[in-house]
Amino acid sequence: MGIEKTMSQMPKKKQISRFMWLLILLSCAIFFLDYDERVLPYNSTILAFSYKYGFISRGLAGTIYQWIDHILPVNMIDYAMVLRFTLIVTLAFYVLFFAFCYQCMKRCQEEYLGRFLYLILFYAVFVVSMFAYKRNFGRLDLYLMALTVIGTMCLIAKKAEWLIVPLSMISVMYHQGYVFMFYNILLALLVYRLLSEKEKKARIYYGVILLVSLIGCSALFLWFEFFSHTDGVRYVDEIIANAKAMTKPFNCMTYHDTLIDHEILGIDLSDVEYPYRVMNWIEIPFFIAIISPYIVLAVKLFRRIQARAQGKTERLKYGFLAIAAGTLLPLFLMKCDYARWVFALISYYCMIFLALVAMGDRIVAEELTGIFTEIKEKYPFAILLLLLPALLTPFWDVHINGLLRGISNPINETFLNLW
C-alpha cells in the first residue's frame, strides 16, 4: 500500500494527474477483461418500450432510443446497432465517472489525498467491472448511476443543486427501482447539506429541493408500479416484435418474456422469482463473510465519526448518513437480483465518503485517513483489502457473482432442485 508514499512527494496537481492515468489504465484493463461484446435479452428488450404506448413503466430508455432511430438514417431496431449504442453510452458513463473522481481529488485537501486515493481505486474496480460484464452491459442501472453522479457533482460544487429534482425524477422514469437503489445517495447528501447550513435561506433551499424531489419520485414510483399496466394487451405484440429484432438469442431466449409480462401486462412474478430469491438467500451469507472486513471497518468509521460529532444536529446528520442505505432493505426482502442491490449498497457508502471529503468535511476526512493509516500500520496483509474486489467482481444480476454461483448451484442440484 505505497500509492500515497510515492505521490506525496509530488505537487497535488501532479499527484492527481498521475493517479488519473493509473485509474484510466486500470479501468481499461478491467473493461477488456470483463467485456463480452454482447447485450443480453433483458437489456435489449427494454429498448422496445416507449412512451408512444402511454406513460409506461421503464419507458424512457426505449423512447430515447427510438427517437434516435427516427432521426438517424440507419435502422436502429437491430441488434448490431443496440450493441454499438450500448458501448457508446457505457464509455460515456466511464468518462463521467472519471470526471467525478477528478472533482473529488481536486477538492480533497492535500494532507488527505494520498489515503483518499485508495477509496477511489477500490470503488472504481466495482463500477467499471459492473457495467462492462455482459449481465449488466446496457442495464438501466447505468443510467441511474450516471444521473446520480451528476446530482452528486452539483452538490459537491454547490452549483445548480436544483437539478436534483429533474435528475431524480428522470431516473424513476428509467426504472422505478431507483427510489430504493440510488436515490438514497442524493437523499443523504441533501439532508447533510440541510443540517450543515447555518443560514435559514440556505436551509430552506435544500429543504425545498429535498421535499420536491422526494414527492416527485414517490408519485412516479406509485404510478409506474401500480397504475401504468392498464392497456398492455393492445400493444404487447408490437413490443415483442421490436424486442426480437433488437435481441441476439441467449439460452434459447429471443427476448425477455418475464420483463414484458410484468412491466407491460402487469403480471405478478412473485412465484416465478421465488426460486431465485432462495438462490440469493443461499449466497448472501457467504458474501457477507467474504466482505466482513469492510463491514467492520465501516462500522468502526461511523462510530468514530459519531463520537466526534458535537451537538444534536451534527449527531443526527452523521447518524442519517449511516442508515440511509436502508432504503435498499425492501429490495433485499422482496426481490431477486442481489448482485445489483449489493452494488447499490457499495455505491452508497463509497459515493457518500467521496462526496463528504470533497465537500471539506474535516471529521470524515480525518477519520477516513486514520482508518487507512491503522490498516497499513497494524496489518501486513492490508494490501489484500484492495485486491479482494478482484475476487468479488464482476457482479452478475441474480447470482451475486461467479464465485458464489459455484456454491449455490451445487446446493440446489443436491438438495433443492428449485432452479
Side-chain angles (χ1 to χ4, degrees):
M1 296 179 72
I3 294 176
E4 82 285 355
K5 184 178 179 180
T6 304
M7 294 195 172
S8 61
Q9 301 168 358
M10 308 175 189
K12 181 181 177 183
K13 188 175 181 180
K14 193 169 183 179
Q15 289 184 55
I16 294 173
S17 177
R18 289 282 181 90
F19 183 78
M20 283 302 302
W21 280 112
L22 171 65
L23 183 64
I24 292 170
L25 289 173
L26 175 65
S27 298
C28 288
I30 293 171
F31 180 82
F32 287 116
L33 181 65
D34 292 329
Y35 180 53
D36 199 35
E37 201 174 354
R38 70 176 299 140
V39 180
L40 294 188
Y42 180 96
N43 302 321
S44 57
T45 296
I46 204 76
L47 297 178
F49 295 9
S50 171
Y51 289 151
K52 69 182 180 182
Y53 306 120
F55 197 38
I56 62 172
S57 171
R58 308 188 199 182
L60 183 57
T63 300
I64 294 172
Y65 185 82
Q66 292 176 44
W67 173 75
I68 294 173
D69 171 61
H70 181 71
I71 64 173
L72 291 181
V74 294
N75 177 28
M76 298 290 289
I77 311 302
D78 176 77
Y79 173 75
M81 299 308 297
V82 169
L83 179 60
R84 292 170 191 170
F85 174 81
T86 302
L87 180 59
I88 292 170
V89 171
T90 301
L91 294 178
F93 167 74
Y94 289 150
V95 172
L96 174 65
F97 178 70
F98 294 149
F100 167 70
C101 293
Y102 179 80
Q103 180 195 42
C104 291
M105 288 187 287
K106 191 175 179 181
R107 290 177 174 270
C108 175
Q109 294 184 35
E110 190 168 359
E111 60 188 296
Y112 307 122
L113 182 61
R115 303 294 166 84
F116 185 60
L117 300 180
Y118 290 128
L119 180 58
I120 294 175
L121 200 60
F122 171 82
Y123 185 42
V125 174
F126 289 100
V127 172
V128 176
S129 62
M130 178 71 177
F131 298 113
Y133 188 57
K134 63 184 179 183
R135 299 284 176 174
N136 296 294
F137 184 62
R139 193 175 285 269
L140 295 182
D141 298 5
L142 178 85
Y143 302 95
L144 309 187
M145 269 296 299
L147 294 168
T148 302
V149 167
I150 294 171
T152 303
M153 293 176 74
C154 290
L155 280 167
I156 291 172
K158 277 194 169 184
K159 293 180 180 178
E161 295 105 314
W162 57 268
L163 282 174
I164 289 174
V165 174
L167 288 172
S168 58
M169 293 176 69
I170 289 170
S171 296
V172 182
M173 292 164 67
Y174 270 109
H175 192 310
Q176 61 266 35
Y178 177 78
V179 299
F180 300 113
M181 289 180 68
F182 298 111
Y183 180 61
N184 50 24
I185 296 171
L186 298 179
L187 176 69
L189 292 176
L190 281 170
V191 170
Y192 174 87
R193 281 291 195 204
L194 174 64
L195 296 177
S196 297
E197 292 294 336
K198 304 299 181 184
E199 296 183 6
K200 184 178 179 181
K201 185 178 179 180
R203 291 198 301 271
I204 293 174
Y205 175 63
Y206 288 114
V208 169
I209 293 174
L210 175 62
L211 185 63
V212 174
S213 67
L214 189 59
I215 292 173
C217 288
S218 300
L220 286 170
F221 171 80
L222 292 173
W223 169 260
F224 290 134
E225 193 66 20
F226 300 109
F227 305 107
S228 66
H229 311 111
T230 56
D231 202 23
V233 175
R234 187 166 59 89
Y235 47 78
V236 68
D237 290 339
E238 183 179 342
I239 290 177
I240 290 174
N242 286 335
K244 286 181 177 180
M246 293 190 288
T247 298
K248 182 177 181 178
F250 180 76
N251 291 342
C252 300
M253 183 182 291
T254 57
Y255 68 97
H256 204 285
D257 53 347
T258 56
L259 174 64
I260 291 177
D261 286 345
H262 180 66
E263 300 303 333
I264 301 301
L265 300 177
I267 297 172
D268 184 5
L269 299 179
S270 298
D271 293 338
V272 176
E273 292 181 348
Y274 175 73
Y276 304 121
R277 291 202 298 274
V278 174
M279 176 197 301
N280 295 153
W281 300 334
I282 293 171
E283 291 182 359
I284 197 65
F286 292 99
F287 182 78
I288 291 173
I290 294 171
I291 67 165
S292 57
Y294 302 134
I295 297 174
V296 170
L297 290 174
V299 171
K300 183 183 291 188
L301 179 58
F302 272 112
R303 287 181 63 182
R304 290 184 179 183
I305 291 171
Q306 277 285 29
R308 290 187 57 181
Q310 297 182 355
K312 185 177 179 181
T313 300
E314 202 164 75
R315 286 193 294 271
L316 177 63
K317 177 174 68 177
Y318 291 123
F320 187 80
L321 291 174
I323 66 170
T327 60
L328 283 157
L329 191 58
L331 297 176
F332 279 106
L333 292 176
M334 297 185 294
K335 304 295 289 184
C336 52
D337 283 10
Y338 266 38
R340 296 168 60 212
W341 319 150
V342 166
F343 174 76
L345 184 64
I346 292 171
S347 292
Y348 172 82
Y349 287 107
C350 288
M351 290 280 289
I352 288 295
F353 285 127
L354 289 171
L356 292 182
V357 173
M359 287 177 179
D361 189 306
R362 197 166 191 85
I363 293 177
V364 171
E366 289 177 355
E367 293 304 329
L368 192 63
T369 301
I371 286 287
F372 282 126
T373 301
E374 285 184 19
I375 293 171
K376 181 182 177 183
E377 293 177 351
K378 291 184 178 180
Y379 306 105
F381 54 84
I383 188 64
L384 296 177
L385 292 177
L386 277 180
L387 297 178
L388 190 54
L391 177 67
L392 298 173
T393 57
F395 284 154
W396 288 27
D397 41 22
V398 181
H399 286 290
I400 295 177
N401 57 26
L403 174 67
L404 296 176
R405 176 182 179 273
I407 295 174
S408 61
N409 274 8
I411 291 175
N412 176 63
E413 292 165 6
T414 304
F415 302 106
L416 304 174
N417 296 310
L418 286 175
W419 66 87

